[in-house]
Amino acid sequence: MYLQSPLPQIPNQALTLALTPDLTLHHLKLTLLPVQALDTLFFTLNGRPLPDSTRLQNPRFTPHSTLVLHPRLSGGGGDGGATGAESRDCYLNMYAVKKPDKVDPNEQRLSKWLNCALTNEPLKRPVVVDFLGNVFNKEGLVEALLAKKLPKGFGHIKGLKDMIPVELDSIRGVKDGGARFQCPITGLEFNGKYKFYAIRTCGHVLSAKALKEVKSSGCLVCRKEFGETDKIAINGSEKEVAALREQMESEKAKVRERKVRKVKNGELGVDVDEGTLQLSGKKRDIDVEAVERVAAKVEGNGKVVSGGSKPKVVANGQADGAAKRFKATDVAPANATKEVYASIFTSSKKSNFKETYSCRSLPLGRN
């Protein structure tokens, strides 16, 4: 039997062994290596690793067999140790599930401030904001409103009255991919790193730093007066958006209250009084007295007469507003006999038909 090893301290040699049933490769190692180095080497036969417990009295070992003594590599990898994977499936499963691409937070922030919140297209004039601080291209927002394709997240936008036109100050010579707008006072870029406010009264967009450093009750660009509630935080935090939403709902509630108050006061052109409907004339300059004079004073049953400031209904001398049943003979032609004219209507004469065993009475008007 021959012994080979890639280690220079173990030369290639021929082995002459007195084979006994209990002799193993471990005993062979003891004759070649110190005890502390036994676990660092292993034998192979024809390229296959052999355990130290393999007996030398084995049919696989022939007089011309060659044992190769290899050093064990530290860690896993071809030396019989742990590789971290029990089978090929473990390696395949590592790549079976595609990991989601990581989103650059800087790009996400720039996209929110430089693109339309609805279409995700770059902002271009005319630009508008809603009462919650979202920025839109007006053209894309109007098209979505007309097509009724506005997402539920923007359901508070019903029309142009819910949009605030704004003026963004452009940066000259801007490169692609960078901020295109800035604060006209401080020059801070409109890129999400700094807080910006839109002024509702004039539409100018200013940085929070400019409003803080320059104390003024008017716009720093056009000098138009505005209040604290006229400042809308653009792309604000959750707390700021919640405050803006509460302010928006409060303003809408006040508008509804004013409309109800105007209806009650008759300022919307309609008066509701005792079940009658009458034009007030306060809103549309209508001559109410002329309208009442136009109402014809017709004598007869159930006719309208102008007996006061409002039309009244008189029926056969009964009290005003009393109900009267319609009769065909009341509107008979001048040259027609009332009985003959009434005979063409089924309700003018009750039928004398009586129900029998084989024929049941039909409803009124079908017999």
Side-chain angles (χ1 to χ4, degrees):
M1 186 180 298
Y2 298 95
L3 176 65
Q4 294 181 354
S5 177
L7 300 176
Q9 60 268 29
I10 302 177
N12 298 336
Q13 54 186 301
L15 301 176
T16 301
L17 303 173
L19 299 179
T20 61
D22 297 333
L23 190 64
T24 63
L25 292 178
H26 178 72
H27 297 93
L28 181 59
K29 277 186 180 181
L30 291 173
T31 62
L32 301 172
L33 302 169
V35 177
Q36 60 271 18
L38 294 180
D39 294 335
T40 61
L41 300 170
F42 68 98
F43 286 104
T44 62
L45 177 66
N46 298 328
R48 296 183 178 181
L50 299 174
D52 290 350
S53 60
T54 304
R55 299 179 182 275
L56 292 176
Q57 193 174 1
N58 193 306
R60 290 185 296 177
F61 297 142
T62 65
H64 300 287
S65 299
T66 301
L67 289 173
V68 182
L69 190 60
H70 294 277
R72 291 186 186 276
L73 301 176
S74 58
D79 60 351
T83 60
E86 298 298 332
S87 64
R88 183 171 176 268
D89 292 339
C90 296
Y91 289 106
L92 297 178
N93 292 335
M94 293 171 59
Y95 304 97
V97 179
K98 185 177 180 181
K99 296 181 180 179
D101 297 334
K102 293 183 178 180
V103 180
D104 188 355
N106 292 328
E107 293 183 0
Q108 191 175 12
R109 171 178 48 81
L110 280 175
S111 175
K112 186 176 182 179
W113 284 76
L114 303 182
N115 298 334
C116 173
L118 177 64
T119 63
N120 205 31
E121 296 179 353
L123 292 175
K124 59 181 180 180
R125 292 183 174 86
V127 179
V128 296
V129 298
D130 62 4
F131 292 118
L132 301 182
N134 299 305
V135 190
F136 304 91
N137 288 328
K138 185 176 181 180
E139 182 178 353
L141 184 58
V142 171
E143 289 179 355
L145 280 172
L146 294 177
K148 297 182 179 179
K149 296 182 179 180
L150 207 61
K152 292 183 179 180
F154 302 130
H156 57 280
I157 303 176
K158 305 298 183 182
L160 295 177
K161 59 182 176 59
D162 298 320
M163 309 177 194
I164 304 173
V166 295
E167 289 291 336
L168 294 175
D169 188 52
S170 301
I171 302 176
R172 297 181 180 180
V174 65
K175 298 181 180 180
D176 294 338
R180 301 188 302 274
F181 308 105
Q182 64 180 356
C183 173
I185 305 301
T186 61
L188 296 177
E189 293 184 348
F190 189 79
N191 57 8
K193 293 183 178 180
Y194 311 99
K195 185 177 295 185
F196 277 77
Y197 290 97
I199 309 301
R200 294 176 58 176
T201 55
C202 61
H204 288 105
V205 177
L206 305 174
S207 64
K209 183 178 180 181
L211 295 173
K212 182 179 179 180
E213 293 183 353
V214 183
K215 301 295 182 180
S216 176
S217 60
C219 175
L220 302 179
V221 178
C222 63
R223 304 300 177 186
K224 192 170 184 178
E225 296 290 329
F226 68 91
E228 191 66 24
T229 57
D230 294 325
K231 296 193 303 183
I232 296 180
I234 296 179
N235 294 326
S237 61
E238 294 183 1
K239 185 177 180 180
E240 291 173 330
V241 172
L244 289 174
R245 186 181 299 275
E246 183 179 355
Q247 178 180 330
M248 177 184 66
E249 297 296 338
S250 176
E251 291 178 355
K252 289 184 177 181
K254 291 180 181 179
V255 172
R256 287 193 293 267
E257 290 177 2
R258 285 197 296 267
K259 287 184 178 180
V260 172
R261 194 179 302 114
K262 287 183 179 180
V263 171
K264 290 182 178 179
N265 296 337
E267 297 179 6
L268 292 182
V270 177
D271 278 342
V272 181
D273 185 19
E274 297 180 0
T276 62
L277 199 63
Q278 182 183 12
L279 295 174
S280 67
K282 295 180 181 180
K283 190 74 176 179
R284 307 185 182 280
D285 298 332
I286 299 176
D287 189 352
V288 180
E289 295 181 359
V291 174
E292 292 179 353
R293 287 195 300 269
V294 171
K297 183 181 296 185
V298 182
E299 297 293 340
N301 296 329
K303 304 302 179 180
V304 177
V305 298
S306 57
S309 60
K310 298 179 182 178
K312 300 179 181 180
V313 179
V314 180
N316 286 335
Q318 299 177 0
D320 293 353
K324 181 180 181 301
R325 186 175 179 181
F326 172 78
K327 290 185 177 181
T329 55
D330 294 340
V331 292
N335 299 327
T337 305
K338 290 185 177 182
E339 290 75 8
V340 176
Y341 182 75
S343 65
I344 64 177
F345 299 97
T346 57
S347 61
S348 62
K349 183 178 180 182
K350 294 184 179 180
S351 175
N352 295 325
F353 183 84
K354 295 183 180 180
E355 183 176 339
T356 63
Y357 173 76
S358 60
C359 181
R360 302 190 64 182
S361 176
L362 296 177
L364 183 64
R366 295 178 59 186
N367 53 1

